[in-house]
Amino acid sequence: MTTVGILGGGQLARMMALSGAPLGLRFKVMDTAPDACAGQFAPMVVGDYRDEAALAEFAGSVDVATFDFENVPSESAAWLAERIPVFPNPRALGVAQDRLAEKTLFRELGIPVPPFAAVDTREGLDGAVAEVGLPCILKTRRLGYDGKGQFRIRTADDIDAAWAALGPQADSVGLIVEGFVAFQRELSVVAVRGRDGEFRTWPLTENWHVDGVLSASLAPAAVDDVLLATATGHAQALADALDYVGVFALELFCRDGELLANEMAPRVHNSGHWTLEGSETSQFQNHLRAVLGLPLGDTRMVGQACMLNWIGAMPDAATVLAEAGGHWHDYGKSAREGRKVGHATLRAESRAELAHALERVGQGLGREAQVAPVVERLRG
Ligand code: ATP
Ligand code: MG
Ligand code: MG
């Protein structure tokens, strides 16, 4: 019996464990929260991911370790990697944890990025804004997620407020200024690379964010072959450079037909949740296959899929469950503003049918605004 250890016990760990059950896998899930949502799978609650006694116990009880949480301290990942196989490797995790290291690597690999500059001081912020140009965004280099730790600088008058908001974190997590990209579309490549270097991607996904949080994903994104090949090539270059093993996502802005890389997520990704029902092999199962050195599964789509995120509180399930292609995921979390508590995936044979299903669900749940941009894209 193989046991997979997962650092972080959120919904990603939970979906990984559910997807790994048919493979006969066992799981051990480490988290700092006693009520973590994957807690029903052999939970291990720790005060701190750096706790060496806890890490030793974890290493002694699993065959391989992976992550649900990208901000596990890289020294903890490195400590484990000296004792058991850890995928993705700690270097890849470390690069993806730091927006400056990540964007620097993208640029080295020839992957276009928005202009960016590191910021250490208040004076440095003035210089960085001058270098990058307005409008721009001040972001924390580390620990940001769901758009947290970001401040938009529209005019020079916003610089003081940006520094007041994030300057106190300059020494602890570091800061970076990035040019604001007036994109037409946001896309993500969800990809998997095996231990032997085999590389596969799922069909490109288009994403919509509200207040920095993913709201909806549509696959396949309607793109031409050149754009698809470019996006896939960027993801493969990145995976090969990092000797990456497992699933990751590369987030891209598409502006006037040009792709600019925003960030990578060194783990299964919210924009790949549709793969559970919308593709031959889900991102969760392929991640497990990759880290265990098993053959990777086919990533082709079965139909057209749209994922809707539920933020803050769960809506009523009945409207989605009444749909022929409706699938419901309640993470069992308590309601809290801005928190991802669940999602639904709608699957259909054609884009027209998917648009109809989305309209019915939008009306049934009073969420017309959430489905509107997706319906518009499907009909456009
Ligand atoms: P997550 O990891 O949850 O995707 P995050 O906190 O790491 O989010 P980003 O992905 O950097 O944050 O930003 C969140 C969203 O904010 C982006 O998906 C995009 O919609 C918008 N955004 C971020 N950076 C830029 C930019 N430079 N130009 C335009 N929009 C941006
Ligand atoms: Mg991020
Ligand atoms: Mg992001």
Side-chain angles (χ1 to χ4, degrees), residues 188-203:
S188 58
V189 187
V190 182
V192 61
R193 186 170 177 277
R195 284 199 195 186
D196 60 358
E198 183 184 355
F199 177 82
R200 296 185 184 204
T201 59
W202 281 266

Side-chain angles (χ1 to χ4, degrees), residues 163-181:
W163 184 256
L166 298 177
Q169 295 179 64
D171 291 337
S172 56
V173 292
L175 301 174
I176 185 172
V177 164
E178 299 174 6
F180 184 84
V181 181

Side-chain angles (χ1 to χ4, degrees), residues 70 99 144-146 251 263-265 267:
E70 69 202 68
R99 292 187 198 277
Y145 69 99
D146 287 348
E251 298 181 5
E263 62 169 350
M264 77 173 289
R267 49 173 170 73

